[in-house]
Amino acid sequence: MNITVSYSPTLFQNTPSKVKFRQDVLTVQNGLQDLINSGAVESTLEDCALKHYFTPKDEKYGCCTYAREMLIPKGTLIIGKIHRHEHLNFIAKGKVTVFTEFGQKDLEGPCTFVSEIGLKRAVYALEDTLWTTVHLTEFVGEENLDKIESEVISPSYNDMGLIAAFDSLAMLGEKL
């Protein structure tokens, strides 16, 4: 018996280990948010100094460069958002442990790396860390941060064509 499956670029991005990470990181994120909402723990997000930088819009390419710089205090755990596009990251100083569906990495500044499409990460700051993320965007200025977020951030794994839970992975297997 032969089985024919149409190739999808996300097909191999839905392996069980990646789905497990996605499911786990969403569980941790929701649990932390519940603890913050109940007053059991305090959010430290306001302790993370954030600065925004923009280049002028390049008329030839129709976009500008947007950089988001964050100072992450030692001992802070941040669970990031799901990015729609590959983009550059710079750690100017500090040391962090980063957890993604590709595993755990210790990163120390100065370093530069590219984030993958659809990536969500949990970051724990081992030292005060200065981290900058760079995106191309059609919007310029802090007054457009909501539009920029809609452009570069996905609200869910499903919107990226990625599976976020084992029950969805099982349904995919049944369809094959």
Side-chain angles (χ1 to χ4, degrees):
M1 170 192 222
N2 292 331
I3 298 175
T4 304
V5 177
S6 298
Y7 172 74
S8 163
T10 59
L11 184 62
F12 296 107
Q13 294 176 355
N14 289 318
T15 61
S17 64
K18 291 180 180 182
V19 172
K20 179 169 179 11
F21 173 83
R22 294 175 195 149
Q23 183 172 292
D24 289 349
V25 77
L26 291 172
T27 298
V28 170
Q29 177 179 297
N30 293 335
L32 285 173
Q33 192 60 57
D34 289 346
L35 289 170
I36 290 167
N37 292 343
S38 72
V41 298
E42 284 188 41
S43 172
T44 58
L45 191 57
E46 56 279 353
D47 296 335
C48 298
L50 188 60
K51 293 181 183 176
H52 305 278
Y53 300 91
F54 298 88
T55 63
K57 192 171 198 175
D58 184 300
E59 295 308 319
K60 179 178 177 182
Y61 296 105
C63 62
C64 74
T65 305
Y66 163 58
R68 176 183 170 148
E69 178 186 86
M70 180 182 281
L71 178 60
I72 309 168
K74 178 181 177 177
T76 301
L77 173 66
I78 294 177
I79 298 179
K81 298 181 179 180
I82 303 165
H83 291 88
R84 293 184 188 274
H85 312 282
E86 288 183 317
H87 60 279
L88 292 172
N89 291 267
F90 304 95
I91 297 177
K93 68 173 188 168
K95 187 174 183 178
V96 294
T97 298
V98 179
F99 305 88
T100 72
E101 59 193 55
F102 297 104
Q104 175 183 332
K105 290 183 185 176
D106 289 323
L107 300 174
E108 186 170 358
C111 74
T112 302
F113 59 97
V114 176
S115 281
E116 294 88 350
I117 294 172
L119 193 67
K120 182 178 186 74
R121 58 172 78 82
V123 176
Y124 181 73
L126 300 166
E127 299 176 357
D128 288 349
T129 300
L130 187 62
W131 184 312
T132 303
T133 302
V134 179
H135 296 278
L136 296 177
T137 178
E138 68 177 286
F139 303 103
V140 179
E142 289 187 44
E143 67 276 7
N144 291 309
L145 289 175
D146 287 344
K147 292 177 185 174
I148 293 168
E149 180 153 328
S150 292
E151 187 179 30
V152 302
I153 300 297
S154 176
S156 71
Y157 284 114
N158 288 342
D159 285 356
M160 296 288 299
L162 299 171
I163 295 173
F166 280 116
D167 55 351
S168 298
L169 189 60
M171 289 187 329
L172 176 65
E174 291 170 7
K175 290 180 184 179
L176 295 178

